[in-house]
Amino acid sequence: MRYFYYVHTGHRIGLDRFHRAVAIVNELQKEIDITLLCSDFRIAAEAKEYGIKRSVGVDLVRNIPQIAHHGDKMIFDSAEINPTLLTDMTQFFSSFIRITDDPSDTRHEKEFLISPYLEGENICNAVVIDARYFEPLPKTIPLALFFGDDDYEKDLEKHQEMFKPLNMELLMGFYHFLGYENSLKESFSTIYECELYDKVIQRSEILVSASPQAVLENLAGGGKPVFLQRPDYTKDFAPLFELLNVPIIDGYAQEQLMQGIKEASSQTYHEIKNSNTKVIEFIRKTFDL
């Protein structure tokens, strides 16, 4: 019997789920041998840089049974789910934990859930944020933008004029194309490479981001995030951000951006709790560790 964590990630969907996978797997691998399965082979290869001991790329979610065995245990972090797949997964794995961001989701009778919205039997109501982001570091970057780790259509380049008057600093995403930053130099005062992710997230006073996980990480460390709701992104996080008093900008309107930053400067944000211990204990109990 083996342990697996499957995460849906990639250049079209970003690394948000991967970041919380790192937070969970790094804790679990202290006591069990767990393999991270990534839907993106490049991220599977890079996972060791984040402390992950064992990671494997998976072409399709349906290929998981080619790696795992019947009776193994699984943590499943993906929206690639339907009733048939869910039934198959809960029958294949002896314990199946799913992480969901969907406020309208429901629990399958044979699965366990981790959700920021749902409560009840076999459900852990929590938000996963790596513990290191809760350290309140000095805020040396007044205003920054992190568009996200996915921008296949180069939407940031198309809409960069909305950010130009604000003299913002920019954190590049992991998947930006070679030379992409050259076209952005006139619109941002400073451009950071993706390797400086932690520095920018933790040290930004106000962070504008289309990455829900980056918003949560910045808030955890005492920052004042503003969520940029991209049209191509799910709106699953909107109810959570409303509860946390995080300003939300809907689309690429400069007027909304200015208003969101103004609100962030004077906003009283709700504190977000470090729920990692709660999540790990839920997993340990479910897996009988």
Side-chain angles (χ1 to χ4, degrees):
M1 188 269 294
R2 297 175 298 169
Y3 302 92
F4 294 92
Y5 189 124
Y6 172 75
V7 59
H8 190 209
T9 188
H11 68 283
R12 287 190 180 273
I13 57 174
L15 302 183
D16 286 61
R17 292 178 183 272
F18 175 74
H19 281 293
R20 67 183 175 199
V22 168
I24 294 174
V25 174
N26 275 336
E27 285 298 316
L28 290 177
Q29 67 186 7
K30 294 176 183 178
E31 55 182 311
I32 61 174
D33 185 8
I34 184 168
T35 300
L36 179 66
L37 304 178
C38 300
S39 60
D40 184 287
F41 284 84
R42 185 180 179 188
I43 289 300
E46 290 285 334
K48 63 179 180 298
E49 301 297 329
Y50 294 83
I52 305 300
K53 296 177 182 178
R54 190 192 306 275
S55 57
V56 178
V58 181
D59 276 325
L60 300 169
V61 66
R62 281 289 185 181
N63 289 342
I64 290 176
Q66 296 179 13
I67 298 172
H69 297 153
H70 186 269
D72 288 341
K73 301 188 177 186
M74 167 65 78
I75 302 169
F76 186 88
D77 192 351
S78 171
E80 307 165 287
I81 204 70
N82 58 59
T84 301
L85 178 61
L86 188 51
T87 297
D88 290 347
M89 287 287 186
T90 55
Q91 291 176 349
F92 185 84
F93 292 100
S94 59
S95 295
F96 183 79
I97 301 172
R98 184 165 60 91
I99 303 178
T100 176
D101 303 313
D102 184 353
S104 64
D105 212 339
T106 57
R107 188 185 72 82
H108 187 283
E109 61 178 353
K110 293 183 179 180
E111 73 172 342
F112 297 80
L113 277 185
I114 298 172
S115 165
Y117 300 112
L118 307 178
E119 295 182 279
E121 185 179 4
N122 296 330
I123 298 174
C124 179
N125 180 260
V127 175
V128 179
I129 304 169
D130 198 298
R132 70 181 184 275
Y133 293 108
F134 285 89
E135 183 180 357
L137 298 179
K139 300 297 181 276
T140 56
I141 302 174
L143 178 62
L145 170 70
F146 175 57
F147 193 69
D149 285 297
D150 63 305
D151 190 15
Y152 196 80
E153 303 298 332
K154 297 189 177 182
D155 288 325
L156 176 56
E157 183 179 41
K158 296 173 186 175
H159 299 284
Q160 62 179 301
E161 288 299 318
M162 71 178 284
F163 305 105
K164 192 171 183 178
L166 295 168
N167 197 37
M168 303 177 76
E169 301 185 33
L170 173 68
L171 171 63
M172 296 295 290
F174 187 82
Y175 284 106
H176 284 287
F177 300 94
L178 184 65
Y180 181 69
E181 62 270 22
N182 291 334
S183 63
L184 302 173
K185 287 181 178 178
E186 298 301 318
S187 298
F188 299 94
S189 60
T190 304
I191 297 180
Y192 299 95
E193 294 300 324
C194 60
E195 290 80 6
L196 294 175
Y197 178 90
D198 278 1
K199 173 185 175 180
V200 178
I201 299 303
Q202 293 178 287
R203 295 189 177 275
S204 292
E205 178 69 24
I206 297 177
L207 176 73
V208 178
S209 182
S211 161
Q213 194 67 19
V215 167
L216 293 169
E217 291 164 352
N218 178 257
L219 179 61
K224 299 177 178 180
V226 177
F227 181 57
L228 174 60
Q229 178 68 65
R230 284 167 49 173
D232 57 327
Y233 267 31
T234 175
K235 294 189 176 183
D236 287 349
F237 284 88
L240 176 62
F241 290 153
E242 289 170 2
L243 288 172
L244 294 170
N245 271 357
V246 174
I248 299 174
I249 305 163
D250 195 359
Y252 304 113
Q254 188 180 81
E255 185 177 345
Q256 277 197 43
L257 174 65
M258 302 286 283
Q259 181 61 32
I261 293 172
K262 182 179 179 181
E263 288 178 13
S265 300
S266 58
Q267 194 89 310
T268 300
Y269 288 80
H270 288 171
E271 181 182 0
I272 188 165
K273 296 180 180 179
N274 186 345
S275 300
N276 287 7
T277 300
K278 178 181 179 181
V279 170
I280 296 301
E281 286 304 311
F282 176 77
I283 296 171
R284 293 184 82 260
K285 182 179 179 181
T286 303
F287 283 175
D288 294 321
L289 300 179

